[in-house]
Amino acid sequence: MTSGALPNNPFVAAGMIEDPRLFIGRKDELHAIASRMKGDQPTSINIVGDKHIGKSSLLHYFFRTWQQRGLDNTSRYVVIYLPLRNVDCQTETGFYEAVAEGLRNHVQGWQQRSLQNPWKSKPLNRQAFSDAVKEWKQQGKLPVLCLDDFESLLKYPDKFDNGFYDNLRSLMDSNALMLVVASRAI
């Protein structure tokens, strides 16, 4: 098969589907995620299911195509995809740094400098992360984090304590952050 060519059998997929041309269906799920972004009160969502049913592919496809979902004022959102089984996300600071890098890399246009500055705090700890997210809210930006394999964080209870989860919840409750989380049924 040449580079860029589609496989002969569309039902063969080894692992996460990264090529948007190979992603088929799931229109209702994609619409449900996008509809929860709208309005003054974005609602976080958890996609739960067994291994190998396409949760990662769904999150990644949403990340790649979210601007095509009929949202008003797409400049209000910055959407990133972050696989949490990545070694960089095994500590709280590593998680914050990975999120900050993803957000900084997806800021568009004239707002780039004012939106990147809040993330330059070193070390990027829980308080600095919260302050940066709140600063974005004041500037009219909503970070939407597509977090894949969320249960990976549970493997490190000494690194991700209840305060970590409470802080994320607080940011979601104040409409400053939206999470789209994929996790296995436990």
Side-chain angles (χ1 to χ4, degrees):
M1 176 170 25
T2 62
S3 178
L6 295 174
N8 292 332
N9 183 349
F11 300 103
V12 175
M16 183 174 76
I17 299 170
E18 294 185 36
D19 184 342
R21 299 174 301 168
L22 299 176
F23 190 90
I24 299 170
R26 300 268 182 105
K27 289 180 183 172
D28 291 341
E29 291 86 349
L30 292 163
H31 175 74
I33 297 168
S35 69
R36 287 184 169 87
M37 289 170 65
K38 296 178 182 178
D40 292 334
Q41 293 184 318
T43 305
S44 294
I45 186 169
N46 190 8
I47 302 163
V48 180
D50 292 328
K51 286 176 108 175
H52 304 293
I53 64 166
K55 298 179 302 295
S56 296
S57 297
L58 177 66
L59 275 188
H60 191 264
Y61 185 76
F62 180 78
F63 159 69
R64 297 275 307 262
T65 64
W66 70 271
Q67 292 176 312
Q68 303 164 16
R69 305 272 151 232
L71 294 166
D72 296 331
N73 191 14
T74 56
S75 65
R76 176 178 178 232
Y77 309 100
V78 179
V79 178
I80 66 168
Y81 171 81
L82 187 62
L84 297 179
R85 60 188 160 271
N86 185 326
V87 71
D88 295 336
C89 295
Q90 293 179 357
T91 65
E92 188 172 351
T93 301
F95 171 82
Y96 296 142
E97 291 289 343
V99 169
E101 181 180 344
L103 292 172
R104 284 191 308 256
N105 290 339
H106 287 90
V107 173
Q108 301 294 321
W110 61 270
Q111 294 178 321
Q112 203 162 19
R113 176 168 287 189
S114 66
L115 289 170
Q116 287 184 355
N117 284 339
W119 299 104
K120 292 184 178 177
S121 178
K122 296 291 181 191
L124 190 56
N125 58 24
R126 188 178 299 165
Q127 186 62 52
F129 178 82
S130 295
D131 291 345
V133 169
K134 290 172 186 174
E135 175 65 28
W136 270 37
K137 181 181 180 184
Q138 289 178 354
Q139 294 187 45
K141 285 287 187 190
L142 177 68
V144 179
L145 312 182
C146 297
L147 303 177
D148 193 12
D149 202 23
F150 194 75
E151 69 277 355
S152 293
L153 302 183
L154 300 175
K155 295 177 185 175
Y156 306 99
D158 56 322
K159 305 288 184 188
F160 298 97
D161 61 13
N162 288 338
F164 168 78
Y165 298 107
D166 290 343
N167 185 53
L168 290 180
R169 179 62 186 232
S170 174
L171 293 168
M172 290 184 295
D173 288 347
S174 65
N175 302 314
L177 179 69
M178 179 179 169
L179 302 182
V180 182
V181 174
S183 60
R184 276 187 261 142
I186 300 174

